[in-house]
Coordinates of all heavy atoms in Angstrom, one line a residue:
K318 N -9.6 51.4 46.0 CA -10.8 51.8 45.3 C -11.7 50.7 45.1 O -11.3 49.5 45.0 CB -10.4 52.3 43.8 CG -9.9 53.7 43.7 CD -9.5 54.0 42.3 CE -10.4 55.0 41.6 NZ -9.9 55.3 40.3
P319 N -13.0 50.9 45.1 CA -13.9 49.8 44.8 C -13.6 49.3 43.4 O -13.4 50.0 42.5 CB -15.3 50.5 44.8 CG -15.1 51.8 45.4 CD -13.7 52.2 45.2
L320 N -13.6 47.9 43.3 CA -13.3 47.3 42.0 C -14.1 47.8 40.9 O -13.7 48.0 39.8 CB -13.5 45.8 42.2 CG -13.1 44.8 41.1 CD1 -11.6 44.9 40.8 CD2 -13.5 43.4 41.5
E321 N -15.4 48.0 41.2 CA -16.4 48.5 40.1 C -15.9 49.8 39.5 O -16.4 50.2 38.4 CB -17.8 48.7 40.7 CG -18.4 47.5 41.3 CD -17.7 47.0 42.6 OE1 -17.4 47.9 43.4 OE2 -17.6 45.8 42.8
E322 N -15.1 50.6 40.2 CA -14.7 51.9 39.7 C -13.3 51.9 39.1 O -12.7 53.0 39.0 CB -14.8 52.9 40.9 CG -16.2 53.2 41.3 CD -16.2 54.0 42.6 OE1 -15.2 54.7 42.9 OE2 -17.3 53.9 43.3
T323 N -12.7 50.7 38.9 CA -11.3 50.7 38.4 C -11.2 50.2 36.9 O -12.0 49.5 36.5 CB -10.5 49.7 39.2 OG1 -11.1 48.4 39.2 CG2 -10.3 50.2 40.7
K324 N -10.3 50.8 36.2 CA -9.9 50.3 34.9 C -8.5 49.7 35.1 O -7.5 50.5 35.4 CB -9.9 51.4 33.9 CG -11.3 51.9 33.6 CD -11.1 53.1 32.6 CE -12.4 53.9 32.4 NZ -13.5 53.2 31.7
I325 N -8.3 48.4 34.9 CA -7.0 47.8 35.1 C -6.5 47.0 34.0 O -7.4 46.3 33.4 CB -7.1 46.9 36.5 CG1 -7.4 47.8 37.6 CG2 -5.7 46.2 36.7 CD1 -7.8 47.0 38.9
I326 N -5.3 47.0 33.6 CA -4.7 46.2 32.6 C -3.8 45.1 33.3 O -2.9 45.5 33.9 CB -4.0 46.9 31.5 CG1 -5.0 47.9 30.8 CG2 -3.3 46.0 30.5 CD1 -4.3 48.8 29.8
T327 N -4.2 43.9 33.2 CA -3.4 42.8 33.9 C -2.5 42.1 32.9 O -3.0 41.6 31.8 CB -4.3 41.9 34.6 OG1 -5.4 41.4 33.7 CG2 -5.0 42.5 35.8
C328 N -1.2 42.0 33.2 CA -0.3 41.3 32.3 C 0.2 40.1 32.9 O 1.1 40.1 33.9 CB 0.9 42.3 32.0 SG 0.5 43.9 31.4
H329 N -0.3 38.9 32.5 CA 0.2 37.6 33.0 C 1.2 37.1 32.1 O 0.9 36.7 31.0 CB -1.0 36.6 33.1 CG -0.6 35.3 33.5 ND1 -1.0 34.7 34.8 CD2 0.2 34.3 33.0 CE1 -0.4 33.5 34.9 NE2 0.2 33.2 33.8
L330 N 2.5 37.3 32.5 CA 3.6 37.0 31.6 C 4.4 35.8 32.1 O 5.3 36.0 32.9 CB 4.5 38.2 31.4 CG 3.7 39.5 31.0 CD1 4.6 40.7 30.9 CD2 3.0 39.3 29.7
G331 N 4.1 34.6 31.7 CA 4.9 33.4 32.1 C 5.3 32.8 30.8 O 5.5 33.4 29.8
N332 N 5.4 31.4 30.8 CA 5.7 30.7 29.6 C 4.5 30.9 28.6 O 4.8 31.2 27.4 CB 5.7 29.2 29.9 CG 7.1 28.7 30.1 OD1 8.0 29.2 29.4 ND2 7.3 27.8 31.0
G333 N 3.3 30.8 29.1 CA 2.2 31.3 28.4 C 1.9 32.7 28.8 O 2.2 33.0 30.0

Side-chain angles (χ1 to χ4, degrees):
K318 275 178 116 177
L320 187 60
E321 299 71 37
E322 292 169 20
T323 55
K324 292 178 192 290
I325 299 171
I326 296 173
T327 49
C328 308
H329 177 110
L330 310 175
N332 265 322

